[in-house]
Amino acid sequence: MASQAVENTSRVRRWAQQWKELLDAPVATYHIVLWSVVILTSFGLIMVLSASSITSYAGGEGSPFTVFMRQALFAVVGLIVMFIVARFKVETWKKLAPVLLIGGLALQVLPLTPLGVEVNGNRSWFSVGGGFRVQPAEFVKIALSLYIGRFMAAKNKALSSFSVVIPVLAATSLSIGLVIAGHDLGTGIVLIAVALGSLFVGGLPWKWLLTLAAAAVAGVAVLVLTNANRLARIQALFTGHSSDVSDPLGQHWQSNHGLYALASGGWLGVGLGGSREKWAWLPEAHNDFIFAIIGEELGLVGTLAVVVLFGLLSYGIVRIIMRSQDRFVQTVSAGLLAWLAGQAFINIAVVTGLLPVIGVPLPFVSYGGSSLVATLLGAGVLLSFARSEPGASEALASRGFHVRSALLGRMSRKSKNG
């Protein structure tokens, strides 16, 4: 009995040591970020197909695969972009930061021009022809993180007065202001989180950071209280969910049916493809409320799997921040963490009834070309930072060399045998 216990303890110690060695490897952070993103994107494609198949066919598309095929196209484009930019050097991102911000802000003006397209009251897109639309605010999130990172890295030791950070505040205010001008408060809140997260890790003194946070909260409150639709959503959250009979297609409808979907799923769900709410009962089932369909079809287990994957991605980003000595890398990574993890939290909180309905998608999972390509681009930035960890780039290159050598050797043996 005692020997068995000693053997079990020894096995656990060996297992713990092996995991420690894996996590201490220079490529560990790279693979944590990479595989959490790839799995979330792949899972998102499956759920977009399931959630959109009925409305895609019945809505005039003529095929249950139309929405899925569009999302798959964006996923391919996004993954190609991700792997390309993952090989960029950190210095390259520093040089590109101001250019990307200017370009992003210029694009953000287009939804306010005749090229702009309004969807559900938000004028956040512009048309590029062929039935495709671009939501530039998704790319502004990355550009703003990069700009704040470059600025804070250069000014970190010169933050003697509040006036020093005026250029950052101006860029942030302009970014948020252009988004709010299109009536997209949800994206505006995410941009606020990106800016505050970047400034926090970038070294902005606490008194200034808290002042900016208080000003942001006050600004959001004013925007809510002066808009009847936003105020109704807040009231719907606190007054409870009225019945569908007394509130047909009203403020409670989407929240109610999101909760119905989650409740129907139970522990293990009704089965992939078996959702009843996606039969035109739940608005935006394949977009902002896809988490509800995940809960209905895959149950609590499926929703927890998504939460764990976002937790794993967040852990990988925190590793980049903690293991880097470059203030630019730390600041930008913090902004991207606030974006990806913060937006995921908002989306899940909305679906579960903890927050009023705010139109933000679930990163990597919800339908939307601009959102998917932008989040994969952001993942590429993080992967390039992970490659900058000492020994990571060499280890990845060495592994690629060994894989190519093995493939060439196998091909050579086959040709000789042939």
Side-chain angles (χ1 to χ4, degrees):
M1 193 75 150
S3 61
Q4 183 65 35
V6 171
E7 183 180 349
N8 290 337
T9 302
S10 178
R11 187 180 295 111
V12 170
R13 287 177 178 173
R14 286 197 301 271
W15 180 81
Q17 182 62 30
Q18 289 172 352
W19 270 104
K20 184 178 183 302
E21 292 174 357
L22 284 173
L23 292 176
D24 288 340
V27 294
T29 304
Y30 181 92
H31 285 294
I32 290 171
V33 173
L34 174 63
W35 290 109
S36 58
V37 167
V38 169
I39 293 172
L40 277 169
T41 303
S42 302
F43 180 69
L45 287 174
I46 295 171
M47 294 312 304
V48 165
L49 173 60
S50 177
S52 67
S53 58
I54 303 302
T55 53
S56 177
Y57 183 82
E61 300 287 355
S63 170
F65 301 102
T66 303
V67 173
F68 164 75
M69 293 303 295
R70 288 178 189 161
Q71 187 75 346
L73 174 63
F74 292 126
V76 171
V77 172
L79 287 170
I80 292 173
V81 170
M82 181 184 77
F83 283 112
I84 290 175
V85 303
R87 304 188 70 85
F88 285 12
K89 302 294 185 183
V90 172
E91 291 301 320
T92 302
W93 290 116
K94 290 180 181 179
K95 294 175 182 177
L96 289 174
V99 177
L100 292 176
L101 180 64
I102 294 172
L105 292 176
L107 289 176
Q108 189 57 48
V109 174
L110 294 180
L112 306 178
T113 69
L115 291 175
V117 178
E118 185 172 320
V119 179
N120 296 330
N122 292 345
R123 198 175 179 85
S124 303
W125 295 263
F126 66 89
S127 175
V128 293
F132 290 98
R133 298 176 303 203
V134 176
Q135 187 176 12
E138 296 295 330
F139 300 95
V140 171
K141 297 169 186 175
I142 304 172
L144 185 62
S145 297
L146 289 168
Y147 175 76
I148 296 176
R150 173 182 162 128
F151 185 91
M152 297 302 290
K155 301 290 185 180
N156 183 48
K157 296 182 179 180
L159 295 177
S160 56
S161 67
F162 192 75
S163 61
V164 174
V165 295
I166 287 180
V168 165
L169 299 183
T172 303
S173 300
L174 182 58
S175 302
I176 296 172
L178 288 173
V179 171
I180 297 298
H183 307 289
D184 190 355
L185 181 58
T187 300
I189 292 173
V190 174
L191 280 171
I192 292 172
V194 168
L196 291 177
S198 298
L199 291 171
F200 169 69
V201 174
L204 190 70
W206 271 104
K207 58 180 180 180
W208 299 349
L209 191 67
L210 292 175
T211 300
L212 292 175
V217 171
V220 171
V222 170
L223 290 171
V224 170
L225 294 174
T226 55
N227 184 281
N229 183 51
R230 293 169 186 156
L231 189 59
R233 293 182 183 186
I234 297 290
Q235 292 172 338
L237 176 69
F238 289 104
T239 58
H241 299 283
S242 64
S243 69
D244 295 341
V245 175
S246 62
D247 183 41
L249 299 177
Q251 294 296 337
H252 298 283
W253 180 276
Q254 193 172 28
S255 296
N256 277 355
H257 283 273
L259 293 175
Y260 294 162
L262 291 173
S264 300
W267 286 94
L268 300 177
V270 298
L272 186 63
S275 167
R276 292 179 287 273
E277 289 294 332
K278 69 183 181 184
W279 287 73
W281 289 102
L282 176 62
E284 304 295 336
H286 61 291
N287 196 343
D288 297 346
F289 269 69
I290 198 169
F291 190 76
I293 302 300
I294 294 172
E296 184 180 12
E297 295 190 349
L298 302 178
L300 180 63
V301 172
T303 58
L304 288 179
V306 172
V307 172
V308 168
L309 285 169
F310 276 108
L312 187 62
L313 175 60
S314 301
Y315 167 66
I317 301 175
V318 170
R319 280 175 62 97
I320 294 174
I321 297 171
M322 300 299 294
R323 294 165 76 93
S324 176
Q325 300 300 317
D326 190 326
R327 181 54 60 91
F328 171 78
V329 170
Q330 294 174 330
T331 304
V332 176
S333 299
L336 297 180
L337 173 62
W339 168 29
L340 299 173
Q343 188 166 307
F345 170 79
I346 292 173
N347 179 277
I348 293 171
V350 166
V351 174
T352 54
L354 298 176
L355 287 176
V357 176
I358 302 173
V360 295
L362 186 61
F364 304 107
V365 181
S366 292
Y367 174 77
S370 297
S371 175
L372 183 56
V373 173
T375 50
L376 289 172
L377 173 59
V381 175
L382 292 168
L383 290 175
S384 72
F385 291 165
R387 288 177 66 94
S388 69
E389 185 176 326
S393 183
E394 295 79 4
L396 289 168
S398 174
R399 180 168 299 181
F401 172 78
H402 290 312
V403 170
R404 288 193 298 270
S405 298
L407 290 174
L408 289 173
R410 183 176 299 177
M411 292 171 62
S412 177
R413 287 193 297 272
K414 285 185 177 179
S415 64
K416 288 180 180 179
N417 293 334

